[in-house]
Amino acid sequence: MAVKSEYLNQTEVSYFFLEGLMYTAEHPDLFFLLFLLIYSITVSGNLLILFTVGSDPHLRSPMYHFLGHLSFLDACLSTVTVPKVMAGLLTLEGKTISFRGCAVQLYCFHFLASTECFLYTVMAYDRYMAICQPLRYPVAMNRRVCAGLAGSTWAIGAMHSAIHTSLTFRLLYCGPGHIAYFFCDIPPVLKLACADTTINELVMLANIGAVAAGCLILIVTSYVFIVAAVLRIRTAEGRQRAFSTCTAHLTVVLLYYMPPVCIYLQPRSSGAGAGAPAVFYTIVTPMLNPFIYTLRNKEVKRALQRLLCPGRRESPPGSPPP
């Protein structure tokens, strides 16, 4: 990409203008209420799961330890993008974001999103150890190991995001500062640079592609061994219990991985229309995750009943409902 010489004599931009999502300008009030509802459900649902996992003594296994981290990540990821979208629906001033604010939003988004990507991989490894090597599982996935794995996902995510943020904002941006997107992300921001972005695009494809592909390969490999182990279980009830602990994780992995592939593997195609897949994994998926894990997990449902209805007597497993 050649340097945009027509902008070289202009002053560097101090703020950007987020054009937002397509079709929302026609009915801003309606979409504001919709995003407010989604954001409220997302934050309250994920914080409820986080509090339940942290307070219930029955949910002390590594799977629920990682689920707590995932709920916190989803609540934060939604907070990075949705409030700014809502502000842009109310006023034109809400669509503006300072240069520094754009950098902070981009860093926070990629920090949380990449950490979640690594966490899904760790959760797949946890399911592999629990099902394929149950005798070693209590020792191999003790509390110290779980804390180390979770902490590593946060540390690697922070480093991964720092690389992309520093590469993106080392470039000169001299206007016009209209970002054809609803938040500051790498592809739409790079389109506004008055400099050669070839290195940035190569690093983005190599780094994000390698991270996403590597994590996905590890997840798929884990589930190949998991499926093989489950099929060796003799009883149908045992197979059903083993599969039920994995289907929720597989569902959120598919919901999370598919949209970014459409965005980051085609960086030059970013624009207002490219916001649709991004909406799904930045806004919709964080809202769905608490429901997916709750509806597919009987232990979480029982823990929520104990939390929300402390005076209610719990029926033993297998007994008819009162």
Side-chain angles (χ1 to χ4, degrees):
M1 179 178 176
V3 177
K4 299 176 184 178
S5 58
E6 65 270 23
Y7 295 134
L8 291 181
N9 294 326
Q10 298 186 20
T11 58
E12 187 176 352
V13 298
S14 58
Y15 66 92
F16 294 104
F17 184 86
L18 298 169
E19 295 185 1
L21 290 164
M22 291 182 66
Y23 311 119
T24 57
E26 299 175 4
H27 305 284
D29 295 337
L30 177 63
F31 280 101
F32 175 84
L33 293 175
L34 175 62
F35 283 118
L36 178 61
L37 177 63
I38 292 174
Y39 182 64
S40 302
I41 294 173
T42 301
V43 174
S44 58
N46 281 289
L47 291 182
L48 180 61
I49 294 295
L50 179 62
F51 184 76
T52 303
V53 170
S55 61
D56 196 295
H58 298 85
L59 304 180
R60 287 291 179 263
S61 68
M63 178 175 69
Y64 299 113
H65 174 79
F66 298 131
L67 178 58
H69 282 269
L70 178 63
S71 297
F72 183 71
L73 281 168
D74 279 334
C76 292
L77 187 63
S78 183
T79 301
V80 168
T81 57
V82 180
K84 190 60 181 175
V85 174
M86 293 166 57
L89 291 171
L90 293 177
T91 62
L92 284 177
E93 288 78 9
K95 290 179 176 289
T96 62
I97 185 169
S98 67
F99 187 87
R100 183 174 297 180
C102 186
V104 170
Q105 187 183 50
L106 188 146
Y107 173 82
C108 291
F109 173 77
H110 280 274
F111 169 41
L112 296 168
S114 58
T115 300
E116 191 162 325
C117 178
F118 298 130
L119 185 64
Y120 283 134
T121 309
V122 170
M123 293 173 77
Y125 175 72
D126 171 70
R127 293 298 83 208
Y128 162 77
M129 292 298 298
I131 295 175
C132 298
Q133 302 190 35
L135 298 180
R136 289 187 53 207
Y137 182 67
V139 177
M141 296 296 291
N142 58 51
R143 185 174 298 181
R144 184 176 179 180
V145 172
C146 290
L149 288 172
S152 298
T153 63
W154 287 90
I156 298 173
M159 181 175 62
H160 178 264
S161 180
I163 292 172
H164 287 287
T165 305
S166 59
L167 283 175
T168 301
F169 288 94
R170 71 179 176 83
L171 301 173
L172 177 66
Y173 295 89
C174 50
H178 284 241
I179 298 177
Y181 218 53
F182 63 99
F183 72 99
C184 290
D185 199 7
I186 298 174
V189 170
L190 286 181
K191 292 182 72 174
L192 305 180
C194 305
D196 189 355
T197 61
T198 303
I199 294 178
N200 296 72
E201 292 175 2
L202 289 176
V203 170
M204 181 175 62
L205 289 173
N207 196 340
I208 295 179
V211 167
C215 289
L216 191 57
I217 288 172
L218 290 174
I219 291 172
V220 171
T221 303
S222 298
Y223 274 97
V224 168
F225 286 104
I226 288 171
V227 170
V230 170
L231 292 178
R232 289 196 295 267
I233 299 176
R234 295 182 179 181
T235 63
E237 182 181 356
R239 288 194 296 269
Q240 184 178 3
R241 285 191 61 187
F243 272 125
S244 67
T245 64
C246 301
T247 51
H249 179 250
L250 273 177
T251 302
V252 296
V253 165
L254 290 175
L255 290 175
Y256 182 80
Y257 270 92
M258 296 306 294
V261 170
C262 303
I263 298 170
Y264 296 106
L265 294 185
Q266 301 179 24
R268 295 182 185 274
S269 66
S270 62
V279 167
F280 199 78
Y281 83 102
T282 59
I283 298 177
V284 178
T285 301
M287 179 189 66
L288 295 178
N289 280 355
F291 296 99
I292 293 171
Y293 275 101
T294 302
L295 295 175
R296 299 293 305 180
N297 194 298
K298 294 181 180 179
E299 292 184 13
V300 176
K301 284 193 285 188
R302 286 197 289 265
L304 284 171
Q305 288 177 355
R306 288 190 292 268
L307 178 67
L308 300 176
C309 306
R312 182 179 177 182
R313 224 177 136 185
E314 187 176 336
S315 302
S319 63

